[in-house]
Amino acid sequence: MAEQGEEQVYTLELGDQSLQTSFLCLAQDSSKLKQLDLLLVTVKAYQVEAALEPLLPKLHPDCRILLLHNGLGPHQSLAAKLNGRPLSLGTTSQAALKLSSNHIRQTGRGLTQIGDLIGAPTPEAMKTALLNAIPGSQWSDAILEALW
């Protein structure tokens, strides 16, 4: 596991292209968590609550949470714990294989749909940034239908 402030480098294989990207790891006790406008939660549906609950008190009350996983369920029990914090959901038919802790291969291309569930609507600039960052994505005003 990365230490606070340690840069992590990932190799991403996308078809015949191999890219390297890096990010700065924030520990759960980081004061920088309060500065986040958006937190993407990209774990399996059954892992959402355990991953997110320790972070909730450390996030700014306006920090939007985006659950990006397949399936229904975690948003229902989680919504009551958000204290009005905005919640968005996403679903994807993209596929990936984790070859090692820092090496990921895309194994399937598909559609990613994102939409608001509760709270203030996602600001247009954030929507645009998300859709530009995720190839093959679209905004869905009926996100629960998309999840079905």
Side-chain angles (χ1 to χ4, degrees):
M1 187 59 138
E3 297 297 320
Q4 168 71 21
E6 181 181 332
E7 184 174 302
Q8 292 287 296
V9 178
Y10 273 78
T11 300
L12 306 173
E13 291 182 27
L14 306 170
D16 59 354
Q17 189 178 25
S18 184
L19 309 168
Q20 287 201 330
T21 188
S22 63
F23 68 92
L24 187 63
C25 179
L26 295 180
Q28 286 188 18
D29 60 353
S30 173
S31 61
K32 292 186 184 280
L33 290 172
K34 275 273 192 238
Q35 299 172 20
L36 296 178
D37 295 322
L38 173 67
L39 178 67
L40 289 129
V41 181
T42 59
V43 297
K44 297 286 188 183
Y46 66 89
Q47 299 169 315
V48 168
E49 283 192 71
L52 193 52
E53 282 184 0
L55 299 177
L56 288 175
K58 299 168 184 167
L59 297 172
H60 189 277
D62 294 329
C63 178
R64 174 168 303 282
I65 295 172
L66 170 56
L67 304 181
L68 188 53
H69 60 79
N70 289 330
L72 289 168
H75 67 279
Q76 294 167 324
S77 57
L78 187 61
K81 300 173 184 176
L82 296 180
N83 298 321
R85 184 175 277 118
L87 178 64
S88 299
L89 303 177
T91 185
T92 188
S93 58
Q94 303 252 8
L97 175 64
K98 189 174 182 179
L99 300 172
S100 70
S101 63
N102 291 48
H103 191 165
I104 300 165
R105 177 182 296 147
Q106 182 182 37
T107 57
R109 295 182 186 196
L111 176 65
T112 299
Q113 294 176 289
I114 302 169
D116 293 330
L117 183 66
I118 59 174
T122 300
E124 287 301 318
M126 189 180 288
K127 272 187 198 180
T128 300
L130 278 167
L131 296 177
N132 286 336
I134 304 170
S137 62
Q138 69 182 30
W139 196 261
S140 173
D141 291 325
I143 193 59
L144 288 178
E145 291 176 23
L147 288 173
W148 276 98

